Amino acid sequence: MERNSRGDRGQATLWIIVGIAIVILIAVLFVMNRGPKGGQVDDGSFDINSYIEKCVRDDVLDVVDEILPHGGFLVNRASKNYNNISIEYLCYNQGFFKPCINQHPDYFNEVNNVIKENIVGKINSCFESLDATLVNRGAEVSGGMASLNVNIVPDKIVVKINRSMNVIEKEVFQQYDKFDFEITSPIYMLMRTALEVVNSEAQYCYFEYVGYMLMNKDLIIRKTALGDSTKIYSMEDYKTGKKLNIAVRGCAIPPGF
């Protein structure tokens, strides 16, 4: 009888432990299901900054991916067609023997403007989509964009949007004046390397890319010499695989010389 009593108590203890575990599991699942989803926060309000940040980030990175193969531009001023890609000459001299001349001395500002010009319309679409989403939730929305600034800095692209936006939802008033985002990108490093190539080619008609790679482990640089004395340099970020192409022509030797 004593053994059966102990066995019954052991089984009862086991069932109590199982019951407690089930209660804990149900509580955890309940808390997880109540957590934030998508662009919403715990109180049920819409996370406007997160919505715009994702939309803007995707648009900026799409433009960057589009311009990198062409030297940082969408409309090329002077370019070389290589592998069916139009690649901008960053350093060029049409004649012979003389070094190339830097064609884009304000390179960073130029590319900043290219990105800016090609995301303005897309950012407006982001806000139009946001407005429609908020209106569908029963909110009142007013405001408009005043200015946009894009700046390529080390390891990222900084986007600053000045836009007044007033939102009234469930009798709660929210006011926004600006939206500032930092978007991770290797474009600064690639462009900085391109300028190193240009400065060296313009001075020495040569760039020691193998040695440069040894000092910069995150870079893969390839050089292709073409028949018209054009050199195609490709700078690739080792981590992301993003690649910037540029064309250079200088110190050309005439045929048969």
Side-chain angles (χ1 to χ4, degrees), residues 63-72 187 190 242-245:
V63 170
V64 170
D65 286 346
E66 191 174 359
I67 66 177
L68 283 178
H70 305 282
I187 187 173
L190 299 176
K242 303 297 182 183
K243 185 189 300 182
L244 170 66
N245 299 320

Side-chain angles (χ1 to χ4, degrees), residues 34-37 40-45:
R34 292 188 61 186
K37 294 182 178 180
Q40 294 184 337
V41 293
D42 289 342
D43 62 0
S45 62

